[in-house]
Amino acid sequence: MTQPESIKPTLFSIPIHRAFADALVAGVMARWGGTPLDLAHGLILLPSNRARSAVQAAFVRAGGKGLLMPRLAVIGDADLDENIGLALDAIDADPLPPAIEPLRRRLLLARLIEAHTPEGEAPIKGAAAFQLADGLARVIDQLHYEEVTVRALTDLDLGAFADHWQASLARLRLLVDHWPEALASTGSIDRAARRNQMLGRVAAAWRAAPPARFTIAAGVTTAAPAIARLLRVVADRPDGAVVLPGLDQSMSEGEWEALGPTAPPEEGEAGWRTRPLETHPQYHLKLLLDRMGVRREEVAPWDAASPFDGPEDRSPFVSLLFAPADYSAQWQTAGDLSAATAGISGAVFPDDGQEAQGIALLMREAIEMPGRTAALVTPDRGLAERVAAALTRWGIGVDDSAGQPLSRTPPGALLLLLAKLAADFDPVALVALLAHPLVRKGEGRTAWLDQLRRLDLMLREPGLEPGWAGVSARIAERAADKEARRHGLAVQLQSWWSEVSAALESALAAFASGPVPPADLLAAVQAALDWLAGDAVWAGPAGRMLADLFDQWSLAKTDGPALVDPADFPAMLDQLLGQASVRPPFGGHPRLFIWGLLEARLQRADLMILGGLDEGRWPAATQPDPWLAPGIRRLLGLPAPERQQGMAAHDFAGALGAGEIVVTRAERSGGDPAVASRFWLRLAALAGELPEPAPGGVPLTRLAAALDLPPGDAAPVGRPAPRPPAEVRPRRISVTAVDRLARDPFAFYANQILGLSPLDRLSAAPDPRWRGTRVHLLFEQWVRAGATREGFEAALDALRRDPALDAIARAFWLPRMEPALRWAAQQLWAAEGRTPVDPEVKGEAVIDGVTLHGKADRVDRLDNGSLAIVDYKTGGAPSAKAAFDKIDNQLGLLGLIAERGGMKDVAAAPVSALEYWSLRPDRRAGGAGKISNTYGSRSGLKSAEEAINHAADALSELAAHYLFGDAPFAPGELKGYGDYDQLMRRDEWFGRGESE
C-alpha cells in the first residue's frame, strides 16, 4: 500500500511491560485532555468489548472525581454494526443488507453440501453435511477477511497435491459457486463481507471528510486488509494515531525479516521463497504493518506510563525469549537476567486437579491484602471451571469472563441427555435424564425422586429387555409379584412409569422412524423438555440462549438438510451447544478474575497467574481444515492453522509483562501424561529454574496436595475383626454362604449380618451373571419338558431370540457357547443308568443346630438307587483341591441335604456322584465342556461319600467358630479386589504388617 510522501503516519507502540489500558489512558489524557470536555470529543477504536471494558475501567481509575470519556467503539467483534455507528455522524449511502444468522447459514451450507456432489464422489448427507458446513463457513469467512476472490480457487494448480485434497477442492469450488445465489435468496450477506463493507465505508468517509475530533485505534492486532486500510486512514489523520500492543522494537532487523514474507507470491513467481514463521508472537503485527504500508522504524514508543507497569527489563527479556530458532544463540550471551525475571515464579503440579487447588490458594491469598487484584489467564476452560469450583470452599465466587459452553450448562446438558436417550435408549441415560436437577424442579420433586430411586434399583437387576417396552415389562413383572403388591410400592411405580413413558414416547415418536426432517426432531425434544422441566429449562442466561437457538432453528427449518438420521441428531446438537458460550451476569468477587486469552488482552491484575502451560492446552493444538490443505491455504494467501499459535504466543508474551507472575502446569492432564508447553520450555531454558511460590512460607505444590488431607499424621486403621454378639449371628445359612464364610469371613459378616450387598451395574448390556442365569433357565425348562432333542432345539432357539440378549452377545458369546450347550445335552442323552429327577431342586436340613439350605441345578437318579448332584458352571469349575481345603463345600453340602432327605420331592438316598458340568468351551475338544468331581484318585477325597463327610466337618467347624462361638469375622486371604474392600478399608492396612 503506497501513500503520498507528504503524509507521515502516526503510530505508537506500548511495550509489554506497561499496563496497556492504563498507559493508553494516561497518554490520551496528557495529549488531548486539556479541558474537561476535550476528551468527550474524541473516539477510540478498540478490538473487543472486553478491551472496551478495560479502557473504561482505566479512565475511571485515572479520572479521580469524574470525567467525560471519549467514545469507545469496537471494530473487531461480531456486533460491529452497533458499535461502528458511534464512529460516524451520518451515513448517506443506502443501508447495507443484514448479516445472515450463523445457524441459518450453517443450515443453508449443509443443504448445499447435500445437493452438490462432484462427479465420481460419494454424496454427503444429514449430520455429516451439517458438520462439514461449519468448516465451510470458516473457509468462506477467511476468504472474505483476506479478500481472496472466488476466482482464486479455480486458478490453483493442484498437480502436487494428493487426490483427496483435489477432490475436496473440487467440491469446495462447486459450493462456493452456488453459495452467492443461495445467500441472495435470503436477503442477507455474509457477516465477514458486511464487516468489510462497513469498515470500507468508514475509511472512505474519513478519507473524504475527516471528523473534527481526535481518533485513536488502540490494541488492534487483526491484520485483515479492511482493518489495515482503516488503521492507515486513522494513522494518516493529523489528529489521529494507531497504538499497537507489544510491538517488539528491540528485535534486530535480521530477526524481524526472518519472520518471513507476509504476502503470497506474485503471479508468475514459483512460490513462497521461505515459509513464514506464523507461530512467532510478532508475525501478525509484522503482517499488519506491511498491509498498512508502514515500516517498523516509523512506529514510535508511547511515552506514557502507569502505576501498574512491570519491570522495564521485562520487554527485552520477552523479545529474547521468543527469538527465532536461528537467532537463539544469543541466549548464551544474555548475561544476568535476574532483573528481568524478578517477580516470575512457577509451579509444576502432579495433575490438573492439584493445579486448580494451587491457583485457588494463590487467589485466596491475594484478596487478603486490601485492594490487591489477581487474575487467572488460561485457554483451558476445564482448568478455569476447577479453579472457580475450588474457590467456592471459602465462599468466594469468581466470574469466568470466557463463559461456559452451553452444552456444559444444566439446560444444555438436559437437552443432550434427552436427545441421546431418544436416539438410543439406554437405562443409564434414562436414569440420568430423570434425575437431572431441572426435571420437576420445585414442588413435587421429592416424590418424583422416590419413584426414580425405585426404578433405578429395579433396572439394575440382570436380564432387562431393551427399549421402553423392556422397562415397562420389568415393572409389570414386579408389580404382579404377590409380595410386592402387598406393600404397594411396585404398583405406585407402575402408575408413575406409565405416565412418564407415555409422555416421553409420545413426544419423541419422531425418533422411532427412519431419517426425518431435523425440524421434526427439534420439535420432539422441545415438547419433551417442556413436559419434563417446564419453564425451568428456559430460565436464566443458559436457558434463554437455548431458547434463542430453538427459535433460530425453527425460523430456518426449511434451510437445512432435508433428512437426518435420528441417531446422528445428538451429535448435531452437541456441536451447536459446544460452540455457544454462556457468559453469566457479573456477580463474583470484584478483585478476582478468570480470563481467556481474548479477554486477557490489554488487561492486567496485580497478580497474573498463567495456568495450563501444557502443550495442547496453551498453545492449543491446531485443528486441521477439512476443506483446504495447508499448502493450498498458503497458495491462496490464507492464514495457516499455526497462526493461532502465534496469537497465543503474543498473548503469553503480553501477560509476561506484569510485575508479579506465576506460571503453572500439570504433569498429568485429564489422567494422561502432559508435555510442557513450548512457552514453558523456552522460559525454563532462558530464565533457569523458577522459584516456587510459597504462601505463608510453604511451597504451593505442598499446600495444594495437603489441602484436602485431614489435619495431623495419618492414622490408618488396622485389619478389621468385628465380633457381633451371639444373638445376631445367623443360625440359618445357605450352602454358598458357607463357602463365603470359609473364604472371607468379613464378606460373610457384611452380607449376612449387616445385610449389605453390592449394587448391580446400571447398564443395558447383559452381564456374565445374567448369562449364567439364562443358561440355567434353558436347562431347567428343557429337563422339565422331558429333555427331548426337539425340546433342546426349541430351548436353544428361544435363547437366540431372547430380547434381553444384546447384539454383541448374540453375535459372539452365543456361537461360542452353543457347542458346549449341545455337549451337555448329549451327555444327558448318552448317559446310561441315570435319569434326571428334577432341575433346580431346593433343599433344607438342620445340621448340628444350623439350618442349611440350598438349590441343586439338577438331581439325577442312578440305576442303583443312589443320587447324583449336578451343578452347571458357565465359567471354570472349582478344583478338587478347593474341596479338600474346605473352601468349596457347595456340592458336598447339597449331597448332605439329599442324604438327610431334605431335597424337595426327592426321597432320601445315598449320593454317589457330585459333578460340576463346566460349560466353558474347550477349543481343543471342539468347543465341548467338561465334567469334574470334587473328589478323585489324585485328590485327598477319594469318593463322594468322603467329600460329603468332609464338607459336613467344614460346616461344623465354621459353625462352632463363627455361628455359635465368638470368633471375629476378619478378612480372609485377599486375592484381587472384592465387593467389601471399602467397607473393610482395605488399602489402609493391607500390606502394612497386618499378619502381626
Side-chain angles (χ1 to χ4, degrees), residues 892 899 911-914 934-935 942-949:
E899 287 187 343
V911 175
S912 58
L914 302 172
T934 60
Y935 52 87
K942 304 302 181 183
S943 65
E945 182 180 2
E946 289 187 28
I948 292 172
N949 293 334

Side-chain angles (χ1 to χ4, degrees), residues 287-576:
L287 177 61
L288 176 60
L289 290 178
D290 287 352
R291 287 179 171 176
M292 290 177 64
V294 176
R295 299 189 309 274
R296 182 173 57 139
E297 295 75 18
E298 297 179 83
V299 181
W302 188 256
D303 57 2
S306 82
F308 308 100
D309 295 345
E312 192 169 345
D313 292 334
R314 191 69 58 76
S315 291
F317 170 77
V318 173
S319 174
L320 185 62
L321 178 67
F322 285 100
D326 292 342
Y327 293 85
S328 59
Q330 56 187 309
W331 288 6
Q332 300 175 5
T333 59
D336 184 12
L337 298 174
S338 57
T341 59
I344 302 179
S345 57
V348 181
F349 297 88
D351 56 58
D352 44 11
Q354 288 195 27
E355 182 183 13
Q357 298 273 39
I359 293 171
L361 281 167
L362 290 175
M363 300 179 79
R364 173 68 179 85
E365 183 196 35
I367 60 174
E368 291 294 317
M369 184 181 298
R372 182 172 169 82
T373 59
L376 166 64
V377 180
T378 180
D380 185 349
R381 304 312 338 132
L383 177 63
E385 290 178 19
R386 288 191 183 96
V387 171
L391 284 167
T392 59
R393 73 164 65 216
W394 298 295
I396 299 173
V398 59
D399 293 318
D400 183 357
S401 60
Q404 187 180 33
L406 181 56
S407 58
R408 300 285 298 274
T409 64
L414 178 61
L415 172 61
L416 292 179
L417 278 172
L418 178 63
K420 291 174 182 177
L421 177 69
D424 183 16
F425 185 89
D426 179 75
V428 178
L430 174 66
V431 173
L433 173 71
L434 299 181
H436 192 281
L438 292 181
V439 174
R440 292 299 187 270
K441 184 178 180 180
E443 187 178 357
R445 180 166 171 81
T446 301
W448 175 275
L449 291 179
D450 287 341
Q451 298 297 343
L452 179 59
R453 292 186 187 100
R454 297 186 186 106
L455 176 66
D456 181 7
L457 291 174
M458 196 171 291
L459 296 183
R460 291 177 185 272
E461 300 173 15
L464 179 68
E465 298 178 10
W468 299 90
V471 178
S472 299
R474 169 65 59 82
I475 294 174
E477 178 186 346
R478 296 298 180 271
D481 183 81
K482 291 182 179 180
E483 185 66 19
R485 294 190 70 86
R486 186 171 65 85
H487 293 289
L489 297 179
V491 177
Q492 294 177 21
L493 177 61
Q494 187 177 31
S495 174
W496 174 82
W497 173 250
S498 298
E499 180 186 359
V500 171
S501 59
L504 292 182
E505 283 190 87
S506 173
L508 302 174
F511 284 83
S513 56
V516 295
D520 293 354
L521 301 177
L522 193 71
V525 293
Q526 183 174 1
L529 283 174
D530 285 333
W531 187 85
L532 284 168
D535 293 339
V537 74
W538 313 113
R544 289 191 291 272
M545 179 174 284
L546 186 63
D548 289 342
L549 185 147
F550 271 79
D551 290 343
Q552 292 174 27
W553 202 333
S554 298
L555 292 173
K557 62 182 179 181
T558 60
D559 297 327
L563 300 174
V564 169
D565 188 333
D568 295 332
F569 191 65
M572 296 174 63
L573 287 177
D574 200 8
Q575 292 172 31
L576 276 181

Side-chain angles (χ1 to χ4, degrees), residues 184-238:
S185 66
T186 68
S188 306
I189 60 176
D190 285 313
R191 188 172 295 271
R194 194 177 196 280
R195 185 179 82 155
N196 287 351
Q197 294 181 35
M198 182 71 73
L199 292 174
R201 283 189 174 189
V202 175
W206 285 355
R207 193 178 293 113
R213 59 190 176 193
F214 74 86
T215 305
I216 301 172
V220 179
T221 58
T222 303
I227 288 184
R229 288 191 294 269
L230 177 61
L231 295 188
R232 181 59 197 247
V233 170
V234 172
D236 288 342
R237 290 194 54 227

Side-chain angles (χ1 to χ4, degrees), residues 85-116:
L86 299 173
L88 300 175
D89 293 328
I91 299 180
D92 297 330
D94 295 333
L96 294 173
I100 188 171
E101 289 292 336
L103 177 57
R104 187 179 187 189
R105 181 172 72 155
R106 185 170 181 176
L107 292 169
L108 281 170
L109 290 172
R111 189 175 68 182
L112 280 180
I113 293 172
E114 282 192 336
H116 300 288

Side-chain angles (χ1 to χ4, degrees), residues 726-780:
E727 58 268 18
V728 302
R729 299 189 182 222
R731 300 294 187 269
R732 177 181 174 85
I733 188 171
S734 68
V735 294
T736 54
V738 172
D739 287 347
R740 182 185 290 116
L741 179 60
R743 293 175 183 271
D744 187 354
F746 187 88
F748 176 89
Y749 165 78
N751 183 263
Q752 298 293 315
I753 298 178
L754 298 183
L756 302 176
S757 58
L759 282 175
D760 294 320
R761 292 175 60 242
L762 182 63
S763 173
D767 59 13
R769 188 173 67 119
W770 176 83
R771 292 171 183 167
T773 302
R774 186 61 182 81
V775 167
H776 279 67
L777 180 62
L778 180 148
F779 283 112
E780 176 187 1

